[in-house]
Amino acid sequence: MGPAAGLVALLAMLALQAGDPSGAAARGDTFSALTSVARALAPERRLLGLLRRYLRGEEARLRDLTRFYDKVLSLHEDSATPVSNPLLAFTLIKRLQSDWRNVVHSLEASENIRALKDGYEKVEQDLPAFEDVEGAARALMRLQDVYMLNVKGLARGVFQRVAGSAVTDLYSPRRLFSLTADDCFQVGKVAYDMGDYYHAIPWLEEAVSLFRGSYGEWKTEDEASLEDALDHLAFAYFQAGNVSCALSLSREFLLYSPDNKRMARNVLKYEKLLAESPNQVVAEAVIQRPNVPHLQTRDTYEGLCQTLGSQPIHYQIPSLYCSYETNSSPYLLLQPIRKEVIHLEPYVVLYHDFVSDMEAQKIRGLAEPWLQRSVVASGEKQLPVEYRISKSAWLKDTVDPLLVNLDHRIGALTGLDVQPPYAEYLQVVNYGIGGHYEPHFDHATSPTSPLYRMKSGNRVATFMIYLSSVEAGGATAFIYANFSVPVVKNAALFWWNLHRSGEGDGDTLHAGCPVLVGDKWVANKWIHEYGQEFRRPCSSSPKD
């Protein structure tokens, strides 16, 4: 099999793997693409219809019970109702022997709830799984970290970055949506179950605070209670080394549940520990934030994300400029593309209005049925990972004429051959809740990378099209080059991944910052080395 045939075969396999609509609806992956989250609205609307029918049935049943109650009460309140009247005496005996039994053992209530449960069971297979709750909770923690969001503010529906005494509004929603005590507890419990007390404590503290404020109120939908929150928070503080807080919360727990023997033993243990080490009373352990992916560039990455798209100022660097680009191509003579040079080393260019609104919408529509959880190369395997939260689909240019036109436009603008086997099919990506892709290279950095199976060399260039806008977050951050580019709807970002020598450009390490608010879609066209020999000639100089 020749190089061309090898690439076509591998791309066809990728397209088939990402082309099964049944996989797109896999439970546990809802949180990883916002379009999947939006689809979850449909089953909830069906559940609302079921609950509405249940409520109407219950209202009718309660009206009938009220009627029976009022009828019997009126007989007891009427002092002129002697049991000497044989008719009244008969109805009294009948009520006590028959009517009350029928009221108490009425099947109407069980029939109403059975209909609701049956309806729920039919919808249940379309509902998110518990893995989605965990994924969504981790997304909130990720946004909390990267954008330095205040948990109390988040619980109130406010997106504020808090750095010392400085408070910055990152996004102002048109309508505030606050979290309940149970919502906060569930986020904290996900962190707690992972042994991540850095995140667990502030979320559980907020849950405790909200539960205290509504203590005594009963909410059918809540899974947790004040006691649950106090229990988890006390142990989280103990694990974090703050025994005095653990003791205080455990004592408060016993006020609500004095017969809990386990908590009573914990109180004795904490009291003993504090008696043995009196300094623990005032000491507060400093909880270190976990660096799960062990990112050496984490601070730089998050700093670039927090700027929400900082770029060099063109008038400060004259070599950065804007122009109308035709690349001497007849294809672009009548409709040149607006070009903005963002950076020189690495060379990064933004092409404004590269696609129209209609084209962007159509590409999203073509990809949506085939979206599957995005994967990354891990040795010779492709695996879903926590540091890349999105779904993606591969679109062959035979799917729609629009994709053929898009390839022609990319080729004319870059001067490169973008047809297979010299480029990959268009990859369309939809990011999930807090969707991101931590710092990575687009080109292969290992000789065992699956990219080399394509027999067409490494990825020489990336052409990324923004198919949507976002309200906040989602910038593309170039870590070592120290700049970031915000999401610009319908624009395309282009950069070289390799030097002319064929060596990878280390300065192209980049990341997709977490989407704070919005629905981010991009389309990637990766262009390979082979086929570009005369379009981008090689050079022995490592600087070229």
Side-chain angles (χ1 to χ4, degrees), residues 529-540:
E529 290 178 281
Y530 294 2
Q532 321 303 338
E533 292 85 350
F534 299 105
R535 298 167 184 266
R536 193 194 189 221
C538 297
S539 169
S540 59

Side-chain angles (χ1 to χ4, degrees), residues 317-329:
I317 308 176
S319 53
L320 301 178
Y321 62 92
C322 297
S323 66
Y324 281 97
E325 181 65 65
T326 65
N327 199 27
S328 302
S329 169

Side-chain angles (χ1 to χ4, degrees), residues 251-270:
R251 284 172 173 167
E252 182 180 352
F253 178 99
L254 288 175
L255 294 176
Y256 300 104
S257 185
D259 297 329
N260 191 295
K261 294 180 180 179
R262 176 179 58 82
M263 191 59 72
R265 288 196 298 271
N266 284 351
V267 167
L268 291 175
K269 179 173 73 173
Y270 299 153

Side-chain angles (χ1 to χ4, degrees), residues 192 230-251 253-254 262-278 280-281:
Y192 177 95
L230 287 169
D231 187 4
H232 284 77
L233 182 57
F235 191 71
Y237 266 122
F238 170 69
Q239 289 293 92
N242 195 328
V243 181
S244 59
C245 274
L247 175 60
S248 175
L249 292 162
S250 299
R251 284 172 173 167
F253 178 99
L254 288 175
R262 176 179 58 82
M263 191 59 72
R265 288 196 298 271
N266 284 351
V267 167
L268 291 175
K269 179 173 73 173
Y270 299 153
E271 288 175 341
K272 183 179 179 182
L273 286 171
L274 290 173
E276 293 171 351
S277 305
Q280 288 268 14
V281 177

Side-chain angles (χ1 to χ4, degrees), residues 413-461:
L413 198 54
T414 62
L416 300 174
D417 190 337
V418 299
Q419 297 301 312
Y422 306 122
E424 298 171 42
Y425 296 135
L426 190 72
Q427 186 199 53
V428 181
V429 182
N430 181 219
Y431 288 79
I433 304 170
H436 70 142
Y437 193 174
E438 286 183 354
H440 64 282
F441 293 105
D442 281 356
H443 61 277
T445 57
S446 166
T448 61
S449 169
L451 284 177
Y452 287 116
R453 295 182 205 163
M454 299 179 179
K455 309 295 184 184
S456 62
N458 211 337
R459 288 172 172 168
V460 68

Side-chain angles (χ1 to χ4, degrees), residues 336-381:
I337 303 292
R338 288 192 297 148
K339 170 183 176 181
E340 180 182 356
V341 179
I342 301 292
H343 207 268
L344 296 178
E345 292 183 5
Y347 183 73
V348 180
V349 177
L350 186 69
Y351 296 107
H352 292 266
D353 296 317
F354 179 76
V355 293
S356 66
D357 286 342
M358 185 180 69
E359 288 173 324
Q361 183 178 0
K362 186 164 188 178
I363 294 169
R364 296 196 305 266
L366 290 170
E368 186 170 356
W370 314 104
L371 291 171
Q372 285 189 332
R373 178 71 184 269
S374 296
V375 295
V376 300
S378 179
E380 296 184 4
K381 296 181 179 179

Side-chain angles (χ1 to χ4, degrees), residues 89-110:
F90 167 77
T91 56
L92 172 62
I93 292 172
K94 174 183 174 290
R95 280 199 310 277
L96 294 173
Q97 197 283 324
S98 171
D99 294 6
W100 277 101
R101 184 177 69 248
N102 291 338
V103 167
V104 172
H105 295 287
S106 169
L107 296 177
E108 192 175 359
S110 58

